[in-house]
Amino acid sequence: MPQHLPTQASAVRVRRSRQVADRALKVTCILFTVLGVIVLGWILVMLLIEGTRGLSPIIFTQTTPGPGTEGGGIANALVGSLILTVLGIAVATPIGVLAGTYLAEYGKGSKLANVIRFVNDVLLAAPSILIGLFVYTLMVQPMGSYSGWAGGVALAIIAIPVIVRTTEDMLSLVPGSLREAGVALGAPLSTVITSITWRAARAGMVTGVLLATARIAGETAPLLFTALNNNFWFKPSLMGGVSNLPVMIYQFALAPYQNWRELAWAGALIITLSILALSVVARLILKKDKAR
């Protein structure tokens, strides 16, 4: 039997219903986008207002004050955070770059590579507090003390998946003709990777390291179980806990002392601006590399 074609009136009704649904979806998306921008803007405005009130040259030269005392700064927390972040990135970068290189150059579709990718994806989504508990059981309990070493390891575990994923993605974008040219000249695969592939993907790999640095710079939960916090300068051995900005902000924001809360706002502003600067630099490097 011949199929009946829809009439012009029914086709018009279908088009109108689709147009109405499309417009409704656009309006909904715009409303939620505006809502998200308003909430984010509100947070940033509050952070700027409250953070600038607590900013002064003193906070960069004095250590965090004790309970009930006036004044003080966050110099020890700034230095401690810098040490923990550098330590975490120093551990994570070689592991992440080598693992990402294996996945992109050697493993590719092998079963081991698939297992590594699966574990890496799990770590990317793992709550940081679980990583802190893991390192606490692995290092803090056997050593009998909180330490900067444990904090650095916890931050490294968080940073490694970011570097692995970025390194693999950037190396996968390198044209195969470059590898073939290196092999045709008689260079071993290791030389081709280090001298050609890594150089071609250098900007993207550096971007991954910067993004991982921004990722761990504001982590609080893992440091609560590893480096903890104190109001003094760190020991050269990094044992006995290390003062750091994230935990300091967490503790001072809940304190009943006005100067502690002001220092918490100032520390939050500093760490936010630092993460923003790292993110901007990473995007500029990646944009510059794409322009080439």
Side-chain angles (χ1 to χ4, degrees):
M1 295 180 66
Q3 296 180 350
H4 296 284
L5 298 175
T7 63
Q8 185 176 2
S10 62
V12 171
R13 285 196 299 269
V14 171
R15 285 197 294 269
R16 286 178 179 176
S17 63
R18 290 179 178 177
Q19 290 175 355
V20 171
D22 179 68
R23 290 174 181 174
L25 182 59
K26 286 182 179 179
V27 171
T28 303
C29 292
I30 292 173
L31 288 176
F32 280 103
T33 301
V34 172
L35 179 61
V37 171
I38 290 174
V39 173
L40 180 60
W42 192 358
I43 295 174
L44 292 177
V45 169
M46 286 185 61
L47 179 61
L48 287 173
I49 294 174
E50 298 293 339
T52 50
R53 289 178 181 174
L55 284 178
S56 66
I58 297 177
I59 68 172
F60 298 102
T61 58
Q62 296 185 4
T63 59
T64 48
T69 59
E70 296 295 331
I74 57 174
N76 55 328
L78 286 171
V79 176
S81 287
L82 180 62
I83 290 175
L84 293 176
T85 303
V86 170
L87 181 60
I89 287 298
V91 174
T93 298
I95 298 175
V97 169
L98 292 177
T101 301
Y102 171 79
L103 294 177
E105 302 293 338
Y106 292 96
K108 294 185 179 180
S110 65
K111 292 183 179 180
L112 177 59
N114 292 331
V115 172
I116 294 175
R117 290 190 187 96
F118 175 75
V119 174
N120 193 71
D121 291 340
V122 172
L123 287 176
L124 274 173
S128 58
I129 191 170
L130 294 182
I131 295 175
L133 286 171
F134 170 74
V135 178
Y136 176 84
T137 305
L138 186 68
M139 296 184 64
V140 176
Q141 280 189 335
M143 295 171 68
S145 173
Y146 296 98
S147 68
W149 302 110
V153 170
L155 295 180
I157 295 175
I158 298 174
I160 286 173
V162 179
I163 299 176
V164 170
R165 172 63 64 85
T166 307
T167 301
E168 182 186 6
D169 291 343
M170 292 300 104
L171 292 177
S172 299
L173 294 176
V174 177
S177 57
L178 291 178
R179 300 180 179 88
E180 294 172 359
V183 173
L185 293 174
L189 182 56
S190 59
T191 303
V192 172
I193 292 173
T194 56
S195 301
I196 299 176
T197 312
W198 277 4
R199 286 190 177 184
R202 179 173 52 192
M205 294 166 64
V206 172
T207 300
V209 174
L210 291 177
L211 291 176
T213 305
R215 168 76 170 82
I216 66 176
E219 284 291 342
T220 304
L223 298 181
L224 285 171
F225 296 94
T226 53
L228 200 59
N229 191 34
N230 57 48
N231 294 332
F232 313 102
W233 292 102
F234 65 93
K235 298 178 181 178
S237 63
L238 297 182
M239 298 300 295
V242 175
S243 179
N244 56 90
L245 268 180
V247 178
M248 184 276 293
I249 293 170
Y250 169 74
Q251 293 177 343
F252 279 25
L254 301 177
Y257 310 110
Q258 180 64 26
N259 64 321
W260 279 27
R261 291 195 295 268
E262 291 178 355
L263 291 175
W265 278 111
L269 179 60
I270 292 172
I271 203 170
T272 301
L273 294 178
S274 301
I275 294 174
L276 176 62
L278 285 173
S279 301
V280 170
V281 171
R283 289 183 178 274
L284 289 176
I285 293 176
L286 191 59
K287 185 178 180 181
K288 184 179 180 180
D289 182 60
K290 289 181 178 180
R292 294 179 181 177

